[in-house]
Amino acid sequence: MDLRDPDLRGPGDEPMVAKWGTTHPSAPLVVLLHGNGTSEHSLIEISPWLPHGPVAYAALRGPIQHGKGFRWWRDGPPEPDDLAATCTWVLSWIAGTGDPDRPVLLLAFRDGVTLAGALMAAAPERFSGAVLLYGALPDPPPRQRGRLSGMPVFLAHATEDPRTPADRLDRTWTWLARESGAPLWAERVPGGAQLAGSVVGGVGTWLADRLDFLRAHGENPLPDGDEPRWPSLRGPLPQRSGPAPECTTRIPQQQLDQHGPAALHDALWERLAALDGVTTKPARIGPDGTRSLLLERAGGAGPDEAFLVPDDGEFAHQHPAPDASLHVVLPDPLAYDGIAKGWAVPHPLAGVRLPRGTVLVPGPRDAAELDVVAGIAAAAHAFAAAG
């Protein structure tokens, strides 16, 4: 698809854009992608209900006229070449919008979600997060587990969507939750085609928290470099067998399947409670029965970003049976390695309200997994204990 075709709306390679917010070239940029058959005006209208301050909103118009509106690709499901051409067009526009290091987030609706998914997969290093509303990712999704590690995502699907096939919505939800590596906040919204006000409010809260995190802590680094060393394990982290477990996509985050026997649940706790300098108590956060692991911080323990609850010195906690999973905070390279190998599921609010290395570690299913899970928790202990 040649986006300079005179039959396509332009002119040339320049998209039509509606803007809201600051014009500062270094401010975070939120790129809005409309659904097919509408225009840039359909999404820029929600900008006043999103965070104000040092943030810019830019709604792009699709390059192909479709009735009274516009599309991102020609009629029918997008051909890979067409989708790639549109991605190149959007990425080129983003590159010319200001500071090349400015944070860029996507906010997409319906068919715009398909384009957003293609952009995220093609250039994960360019995006600091994404809001995906009532749409599906391109088929098939990427095969690489952890492809979106470090990129928080807000996903909302309608329970009675009349336009997007249910199987495509299910594949999108499953891949984002269990394979992508993205810290995923996801919800199913009762009803059909209308963008509910409650969803816009939820997006505004999530986006404000993510922007605050970026201002305070900077970008999430992406997985990079050689396979990291785990001092608490004998050799590299092995691959966990089978698919990642199903987990809740809001708080409290819990493991819903693949539970191991109760004896392993108790054996894991005994190992964790015996780590150097650790004290235990009932957790302040998490489901009833959650147990916390704490380190005294007066002696110069590690940075705040190594703790679930810095004021308490809580660096990990274990959920009650039958969910023997842990929440821990890992250094970035170890968190990404754990995600890619199936031993870690990002917390829905990692890099949003919680440290970016906050992950759920599935409970052990057998004695060999007990050793690995205990080793992962020992790595979190070492991170928190580092003075």
Side-chain angles (χ1 to χ4, degrees), residues 21-29 54-56 94-104 126:
T22 184
T23 58
H24 196 287
S26 295
L29 172 66
V55 56
I94 290 173
T97 60
D99 187 334
D101 295 324
R102 75 190 306 188
V104 179
R126 192 63 195 94

Side-chain angles (χ1 to χ4, degrees), residues 117-152:
L119 288 164
M120 293 154 63
E125 73 285 351
R126 192 63 195 94
F127 299 106
S128 303
V131 175
L132 309 177
L133 305 177
Y134 297 13
L137 299 179
D139 276 333
R143 292 186 177 182
Q144 180 186 354
R145 177 180 277 176
R147 178 65 175 167
L148 303 186
S149 292
M151 188 190 303

